């Protein structure tokens, strides 16, 4: 998957290819150089710029005019979400792990995407939207 400044090699459809995906990720990292790092995720390896993760993305988003002064909510199910959970927690936001993956820095947990949809529907009803 081409992510413009990163490349992800997914193997969810072929879990037996995990070692091959990791080897490809390592070769891509060797080509990309020291400004990049290898990020492991749920059935994915990603070569991404060092210092650029979902936590730094959340921090950048919260500096945008539309989000200034807002409290972040971060929901995720992958190892790659942990940096954003940490940022949300530091900013007194809400962090929610979806699914059984542990350990996590998320402060709350929901069982699956259906539980997320129910929770969001209840939150929307509570806040009148």
């Amino acid at each position: 998957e081409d992510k413009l400044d990163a490349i992800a090699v997914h193997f969810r459809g072929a879990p037996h290819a995990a070692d091959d995906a990791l080897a490809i990720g390592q070769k891509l990292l060797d080509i990309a150089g020291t400004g990049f790092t290898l990020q492991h995720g749920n059935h994915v390896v990603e070569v991404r710029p060092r210092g650029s993760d979902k936590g730094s993305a959340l921090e950048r988003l919260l500096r945008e005019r539309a989000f200034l002064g807002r409290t972040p909510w971060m929901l995720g199910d992958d190892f790659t979400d942990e940096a954003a959970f940490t940022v949300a927690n530091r900013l007194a936001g809400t962090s929610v792990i979806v699914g059984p993956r542990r350990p996590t820095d998320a402060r709350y947990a929901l069982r699956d995407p259906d539980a997320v949809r129910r929770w969001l529907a209840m939150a929307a009803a509570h806040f009148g939207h």
Side-chain angles (χ1 to χ4, degrees):
E1 174 187 5
D2 181 353
K3 295 184 167 193
L4 299 180
D5 64 347
I7 295 176
V9 180
H10 297 267
F11 54 93
R12 182 177 306 279
H16 61 277
D19 290 340
D20 292 333
L22 182 57
I24 291 168
Q26 187 59 56
K27 285 180 184 177
L28 291 170
L29 180 61
D30 293 344
I31 293 167
T34 59
F36 289 79
T37 189
L38 193 63
Q39 172 75 54
H40 297 263
N42 184 12
H43 292 95
V44 64
V45 292
E46 182 176 329
V47 176
R48 63 169 175 77
R50 283 192 187 281
S52 177
D53 56 31
K54 289 182 182 181
S56 61
L58 180 57
E59 288 177 321
R60 281 193 307 274
L61 183 65
L62 291 170
R63 288 193 298 266
E64 294 290 324
R65 173 176 268 172
F67 297 103
L68 285 175
R70 305 246 180 186
T71 302
W73 287 21
M74 177 60 197
L75 290 84
D77 67 348
D78 203 347
F79 299 106
T80 60
D81 298 314
E82 289 299 322
F85 292 154
T86 300
V87 169
N89 294 342
R90 181 170 40 83
L91 299 175
T94 299
S95 56
V96 182
I97 184 75
V98 180
R101 187 184 59 73
R102 302 294 185 280
T104 181
D105 285 336
R107 293 189 174 147
Y108 302 97
L110 291 168
R111 180 175 302 210
D112 55 32
D114 287 336
V116 171
R117 286 187 279 279
R118 288 189 301 272
W119 181 67
L120 289 174
M122 287 188 304
H126 175 76
F127 292 109
H129 296 281

